[in-house]
Amino acid sequence: MTTDPLRAVPATATIELAGRRPALDYYLIRPRQRDRDPSADADGIVVEEFTRDHDFSTTGLDSAGWTPDAGWWSSASLSRELRTDPELRARVTPTSRREAEGVYRAWTGGQLPDEAALRTYFLDHQPIASAPPLRLGPAQPPAGFQEQRVYRVLFAKDLSTEQVTNLRAIWQTPVGGTSAAAASGHLEKHGDQLTWELRHVGHTLAWCLDVTALLRTDVTEAVGSTLSELTNVMRQHGLIPVTTERFS
């Protein structure tokens, strides 16, 4: 039996199913090393949700944070700093809702609000600039396909060699070859063909997934679900998604 390269992730991973609203993203803010209490799992929780255009490119980011002293609050600047401030970024760990529930329960003795309630704490929206797709390469898709799309999903933080090796195994990346990508994979859904490559960008300051979708019909659910599932796989390996751009 062939392993699904999008679903070979830890059991705690949250995977978007086609036709459902994507689950929220959860992060734990770990204590600073110099004042770390071995009994404290986290100083706080951050919950996020990207807003997207009809073509699944990113248009903005909503977020809410929770800390024991302040309760729930919303700050667009916090989400920016999670991705740009080295000290804070080093303390951020992508996590599952289950683990966030455990941290919240340990601090409060209560239940983490459900996702509908969490969205009501999104009070400080962070717009993310978008532009019409850049046309990179031939305007016409290959024979037999109606449309070709190319996306780049950008991530903050870094991957270890072991994590890259694990991704290569999950995605069944061929050994050898001429690609400069650190890892790659492919998937076919109802005749649509999707391929992706993981690579360093910005002089190794970030990682990205370049995703190419060859579509046989104008039904694009496969694109949205694949982008979401791939992003979740990368979060489960410790990276923080920044934006999804469409290039063609």
Side-chain angles (χ1 to χ4, degrees):
M1 179 181 295
T2 301
T3 301
D4 186 336
L6 298 183
R7 298 185 181 275
V9 293
T12 56
T14 300
I15 299 296
E16 176 192 358
L17 299 179
R20 296 183 184 178
R21 188 170 187 177
L24 300 178
D25 293 337
Y26 296 85
Y27 300 89
L28 299 180
I29 308 297
R30 303 294 185 181
R32 290 181 176 86
Q33 191 66 40
R34 59 178 175 273
D35 55 16
R36 184 183 294 273
D37 179 351
S39 65
D41 289 329
D43 283 345
I45 300 168
V46 176
V47 184
E48 294 186 336
E49 182 174 49
F50 285 102
T51 56
R52 302 185 185 278
D53 206 340
H54 67 279
D55 65 355
F56 310 110
S57 59
T58 300
T59 60
L61 180 60
D62 289 306
S63 66
W66 178 87
T67 50
D69 57 338
W72 288 101
W73 43 274
S74 183
S75 171
S77 63
L78 174 64
S79 285
R80 290 194 299 270
E81 291 169 3
L82 293 185
R83 293 157 171 83
T84 59
D85 180 82
E87 191 274 335
L88 180 57
R89 188 171 62 229
R91 296 169 55 204
V92 176
T93 303
T95 192
S96 65
R97 178 177 171 89
R98 181 181 301 175
E99 187 171 358
E101 287 174 332
V103 170
Y104 189 82
R105 187 181 305 110
W107 277 108
T108 70
Q111 296 296 315
L112 183 70
D114 63 28
E115 298 204 332
L118 289 174
R119 288 184 172 96
T120 67
Y121 302 131
F122 294 162
L123 303 177
D124 192 7
H125 180 70
Q126 172 64 48
I128 297 176
S130 60
L134 300 173
R135 291 295 173 185
L136 303 180
Q140 297 300 318
F145 295 95
Q146 181 168 307
E147 185 181 5
Q148 175 175 293
R149 295 186 181 186
V150 178
Y151 292 87
R152 170 164 285 183
V153 189
L154 186 65
F155 299 90
K157 299 198 76 168
D158 202 2
L159 292 169
S160 67
T161 301
E162 181 181 359
Q163 288 170 320
V164 173
T165 300
N166 188 44
L167 287 167
R168 290 179 61 89
I170 289 173
W171 294 339
Q172 303 173 13
T173 302
V175 177
T178 59
S179 173
S184 62
H186 69 278
L187 185 69
E188 184 169 337
K189 287 188 174 182
H190 309 296
D192 298 330
Q193 295 183 13
L194 299 108
T195 59
W196 55 91
E197 294 187 332
L198 174 69
R199 63 184 76 248
H200 261 132
V201 291
H203 302 290
T204 73
L205 295 178
W207 288 87
C208 74
L209 272 178
D210 289 334
V211 182
T212 299
L214 296 176
L215 307 176
R216 293 192 181 276
T217 71
D218 59 359
V219 179
T220 60
E221 283 88 348
V223 177
S225 61
T226 300
L227 288 171
S228 179
E229 291 169 356
L230 286 170
T231 300
N232 278 325
V233 170
M234 301 305 293
R235 287 187 70 258
Q236 291 296 324
H237 284 75
L239 296 189
I240 303 174
V242 176
T243 189
T244 300
E245 301 174 298
R246 183 179 170 189
F247 288 165
S248 67

